Structure formats: C-alpha cells, structure tokens
Amino acid sequence: MIFKDKTIVISGATRGIGKAIALKLAAEGANIVIAAKSVTENEKLGGTIYSAAEAINTAGGRALPVPCDVREEDQVQHVMKAAVETFGGIDIVINNASAISLTDTAATPRKRYDLMQDINVRGSFLMVQAALPHLKKSSNAHILTLSPPINLNPKWLGPHIAYTISKYNMSLLTLGWAEEFKNIPIAANALWPKTTIDTAAVRNLLGGQALANMSRTPRIVADAAFYVLQKEARRCTGNCFLDEEVLKAEGITDFDAYAITPGGPLYTDLFLDS
C-alpha cells in the first residue's frame, strides 16, 4: 500500500485517464479528492464525481467528491480546504482536466479558445497555487500534469494552434514549477501517452470507434503515473514523460495487455513524431 494515507487531488477524475489514475492509487490506499464539474450524468460522456467516488471507495481508497470548475479560483480554493479538513493535508496534485478543439484559427471561436486556455493553463496554475502551502508540508510532494513533450515541429502548430499552445503551456508550467520548487522539494512532471487512449474524447471528438480500436486503455497511463508519483521528489522532477518510457524503465515491455485490439495497429498520439 505505497500510497496509504497519502492525499491526492485530481482534476477531472470522473472518467477516462483521470479516473483510471484515481482507481490505481486508491487500490494502494490513497485518499482521492475528485475535483470536477460533473455532478449529473452526461449520456455522451458518462460518470459523475459521485459515481467516481463510489468506484474509488470500492477499489480500497477513500474518496472525497467536490464539485469544481477549475476556472474559478474560489472553487479551487474550496477543494483544497475540503481536502485538508477531511484528510489532514495534500501530498499530490494531478492536473488532468482539459478541454480540446482540433480546429484551425478560422474555425476556433473566441469562447472555445478561451475555454482551452482557461481550463488547461489557468486551471492547472490555480490548482497548484491553491495547493502549494499544503504541498510544502508533505514528505514527498508531487505535481503531475497530463501534457506532452514540447515539440516545435510546425505540423503540430499549424492545424490546431489554439489547442497546441494550451497543452504546451501546461508543459511549460511543469518545467517552471520544477525549477521553482526544487529546493523545497516538490516534484513537477508531465505525463503523456505514446498512443491514443480510448476515452470519450477519442470516441466523440477525434476518430470514433475506428480510432478507439487503434488505442490503448487508460490503465497504461495510470500505471505510469503510479511509478512516477512514488519517486523521490528531489530526484524525479522536470520531466515530460511518455507512459511507455516510464514503464520500460520499470522493466515492463509487454504492452499488448493495454491495447483495445491486442496485436492490432496503434495510433501515435498528438505531438509525437513517430
């Protein structure tokens, strides 16, 4: 029970990768604070903070569902206050909440542009800022952000510049936090999947069932997060990890169990040059 009694705040943990990470850490005894907007079921997306909390408790953790729009500073601060009041502190913050729109400049309305910048960048910043006083008190504090290595190949900038810069800015925050907090220490790392992951975003926005069949399950990202978050904060910080790289370093080389279609073709995720 590596994470027994550790308190982990995860944004957007009602489904997909965030929920998979929550369940993985819950099985290791963690307290999981679910900070997300979903309080009623959306039939296209599925999952609420309450259904996620039930699954986390069943997995062996202790869940605290807190409604939160990460764009709203007062709501983010309320999440951290509730976490500390319930569990006594905060050890890990995971920035998972993210908005996506793979549209070019002409096809990206201002509201959609603002949504991606506000959730992906500002929301991640507010989460860490609000948790910082409590992370400083942890014996092995970590910040983990679901964002990619920064790849300046123009092919990732041209087709969907608004989304690309929002995700790259999340990674820039990670690198900045690693430097800023290195002497405390608080680790700050980013994590990104090597292949597309079978999530609601992939099924509803990117490629439907065809792309889902060429993807892996969220469990591969959860397993990678599990290994990153147990590292010594002083020695493991400032990295933009890929899930495969993390698992290979732990001696795991058979990834077929994670595939939706074992043995089938896999689709390389955004921002990675295959």
Side-chain angles (χ1 to χ4, degrees):
M1 302 288 281
I2 293 173
F3 292 95
K4 183 172 175 56
D5 298 327
K6 297 292 184 181
T7 298
I8 301 164
V9 181
I10 310 179
S11 65
T14 54
R15 61 185 69 91
I17 291 172
K19 184 179 178 181
I21 294 173
L23 293 174
K24 177 71 176 183
L25 300 178
E28 295 292 331
N31 307 317
I32 307 292
V33 182
I34 311 155
K37 288 175 60 180
S38 299
V39 295
T40 57
E41 189 83 22
N42 181 318
E43 62 180 26
K44 288 186 177 181
L45 301 176
T48 68
I49 59 175
Y50 307 112
S51 62
E54 184 177 354
I56 288 164
N57 289 331
T58 300
R62 292 195 296 164
L64 176 65
V66 186
C68 178
D69 183 337
V70 296
R71 297 172 292 177
E72 302 297 333
E73 184 177 15
D74 59 339
Q75 294 185 33
V76 173
Q77 291 176 341
H78 172 69
V79 167
M80 304 308 168
K81 181 179 180 182
V84 173
E85 288 178 348
T86 303
F87 298 123
I90 298 171
D91 300 286
I92 295 168
V93 169
I94 300 178
N95 290 312
N96 170 71
S98 193
I100 181 172
S101 181
L102 298 184
T103 48
D104 62 17
T105 299
T108 306
R110 179 193 60 80
K111 287 186 177 180
R112 176 57 60 171
Y113 177 92
D114 288 347
L115 182 71
M116 289 188 284
Q117 308 309 317
D118 287 352
I119 292 178
N120 302 0
V121 190
R122 183 166 171 264
S124 296
F125 182 87
L126 291 177
M127 287 279 290
V128 170
Q129 185 180 59
L132 185 57
H134 312 292
L135 291 173
K136 288 179 177 179
K137 299 175 184 177
S138 173
S139 61
N140 194 42
H142 277 259
I143 300 162
L144 186 65
T145 299
L146 276 295
S147 62
I150 298 171
N151 185 348
L152 296 182
N153 186 329
K155 78 174 188 179
W156 298 118
L157 296 162
H160 36 73
I161 182 64
Y163 177 64
T164 297
I165 63 173
S166 74
K167 296 306 291 187
Y168 286 4
N169 277 335
M170 293 171 75
S171 299
L172 285 172
L173 284 173
T174 296
L175 298 177
W177 287 327
E179 178 67 18
E180 182 180 358
F181 305 145
K182 65 183 181 182
N183 293 325
I184 296 175
I186 300 171
N189 295 290
L191 179 61
W192 194 247
K194 179 66 182 292
T195 73
T196 51
I197 300 297
D198 182 15
T199 62
V202 164
R203 290 176 176 267
N204 297 331
L205 298 175
L206 303 184
Q209 187 61 50
L211 183 56
N213 289 341
M214 299 171 68
S215 302
R216 288 172 172 157
T217 69
R219 188 167 60 87
I220 188 170
V221 185
D223 286 356
F226 167 78
Y227 288 111
V228 171
L229 294 172
Q230 62 183 271
K231 303 295 185 186
E232 184 182 351
R234 190 180 300 277
R235 297 180 181 275
C236 181
T237 189
N239 303 286
C240 290
F241 288 117
L242 295 180
D243 54 1
E244 272 195 17
E245 294 174 351
V246 173
L247 296 177
K248 285 178 180 178
E250 299 296 330
I252 300 168
T253 56
D254 181 3
F255 302 120
D256 220 29
Y258 298 111
I260 297 299
T261 307
L266 293 167
Y267 195 88
T268 302
D269 207 350
L270 295 169
F271 313 119
L272 304 179
D273 293 332
S274 55

